[in-house]
Amino acid sequence: MTAPHQPSRTQLERIAYRRKRAIRSTLIAAFSTAVVGLLLYLGVTGSPGWARVKSSFLDWDIAVKALTGRDNYPSILSGLWLNIRLMVICTACALALGLLIAILRTLRGPVTFPVRALATTYTYSFRGLPLIIVIYLFAFGIPGLRLQGTPSVTVLGAAAIVVTYGAYLAEVFRAGIESVHPSQVAAARSLGLSYRRTMRHVVLPQAIRRVTPPLLNDTVALQKDVGLISLAGPIDAIRAAQINQAGTANFTPYVVAGVLFVLLALPLIGVTDWVTLRAARRQNAGN
């Protein structure tokens, strides 16, 4: 039975030195952060117009009323629930649409040229159009046609977000698909796999894994832009904040809505950073 490995004295000293350096770096970082935060706080609160800004943007009583929906004003929390539902639905639909468009753009052969042309026109058009204009076109233009079965403005606004972000996500997916070396596709086809099975079992798993960080970044941006649905009329968190602001002549409801959106985005931002760091470590280990 072999004896357990005992680190040498030099190795123990090296470990203790690194631990000491890590503690020292953490303390320095915490101290410098506290100093910068204190200076910013003193600079802002010591400015001549701080009292006016505080009463206009940071009124606690108005924040509580806007958050809970008192005095016959809509609740920002209730509106945020609409934003959360739209975020989940729009994200899933935009990812599915983007993947479909990316696959269509990577088709080969002259027969599929019209499909590639339509997919390319779609991505070029909606990546160039501002989202606000797309929401206006969908929410107010389509109902103007007076077609039977026209959905509500909430659904039309969500559709505008989906088609806009679908164009961005399509290019991300296409970059991942084209990053897979052609020899892997050729090897899969030589084994008798069809084009569909090759894409499903060989290309797409690698492509999606490689573009996960940018996909998550676009998802964070989508989560933020879901608030633009208020332009179509539904009472979400932004619209509720606007109504509260108009009734109180105070901008605190907007600050409350902004803080809620930040808190909503923090978990996804953390996941995005973790996935990005993990991908970078895997790439460095491979090199």
Side-chain angles (χ1 to χ4, degrees):
M1 184 175 181
T2 59
H5 172 70
Q6 296 293 335
S8 63
R9 179 179 179 181
T10 304
Q11 186 175 1
L12 291 175
E13 292 177 352
R14 185 182 298 113
I15 294 174
Y17 174 76
R18 290 176 178 175
R19 185 182 297 111
K20 183 179 179 181
R21 287 294 301 270
I23 295 176
R24 180 173 176 270
S25 299
T26 303
L27 292 176
I28 293 175
F31 177 76
S32 61
T33 302
V35 170
V36 172
L38 179 61
L39 292 176
L40 288 176
Y41 174 78
L42 294 177
V44 172
T45 58
S47 60
W50 166 244
R52 185 181 181 89
V53 171
K54 181 180 179 181
S55 62
S56 299
F57 290 88
L58 301 173
D59 191 304
W60 177 255
D61 293 333
I62 293 178
V64 173
K65 292 179 180 179
L67 193 64
T68 57
R70 299 177 185 176
D71 298 336
N72 296 324
Y73 291 124
S75 169
I76 294 180
L77 276 179
S78 300
L80 185 67
W81 174 236
L82 175 61
N83 291 117
I84 294 175
R85 288 180 291 170
L86 287 174
M87 180 195 69
V88 174
I89 296 173
C90 291
T91 300
C93 294
L95 287 171
L97 178 62
L99 181 59
L100 175 62
I101 297 300
I103 293 175
L104 294 179
R105 288 201 64 184
T106 55
L107 293 175
R108 296 292 181 263
V111 177
T112 58
F113 174 78
V115 177
R116 294 198 305 272
L118 289 175
T120 303
T121 303
Y122 161 76
T123 54
Y124 282 14
S125 299
F126 283 97
R127 282 196 301 160
L129 278 173
L131 178 56
I132 294 178
I133 295 179
V134 180
I135 291 177
Y136 281 142
L137 291 175
F138 275 62
F140 303 123
I142 294 178
L145 299 175
R146 299 182 180 181
L147 300 174
Q148 292 184 354
T150 301
S152 64
V153 292
T154 303
V155 176
L156 292 174
I161 296 174
V162 169
V163 297
T164 301
Y165 272 91
Y168 290 104
L169 295 173
E171 289 303 288
V172 176
F173 279 121
R174 186 171 71 92
I177 292 174
E178 293 183 348
S179 69
V180 178
H181 200 274
S183 61
Q184 300 192 35
V185 178
R189 297 304 298 271
S190 67
L191 294 175
L193 295 180
S194 63
Y195 176 80
R196 184 178 64 179
R197 296 185 65 184
T198 300
M199 291 293 294
R200 177 182 176 184
H201 298 290
V202 178
V203 177
L204 289 182
Q206 300 181 69
I208 294 175
R209 184 171 62 250
R210 293 177 181 179
V211 298
T212 297
L215 286 177
L216 290 174
N217 283 327
D218 285 339
T219 302
V220 173
L222 187 151
Q223 175 180 324
K224 175 189 63 177
D225 287 343
V226 163
L228 294 176
I229 195 71
S230 60
L231 298 173
I235 301 180
D236 68 333
I238 304 300
R239 175 66 72 181
Q242 182 184 21
I243 296 174
N244 279 272
Q245 185 275 331
T248 60
N250 193 285
F251 291 97
T252 302
Y254 281 122
V255 177
V256 173
V259 170
L260 291 178
F261 269 92
V262 171
L263 294 177
L264 186 63
L266 283 179
L268 187 56
I269 293 175
V271 172
T272 303
D273 292 340
W274 177 76
V275 171
T276 303
L277 181 61
R278 183 182 178 186
R281 288 177 176 175
R282 185 187 297 114
Q283 183 177 1
N284 292 334
N287 295 335

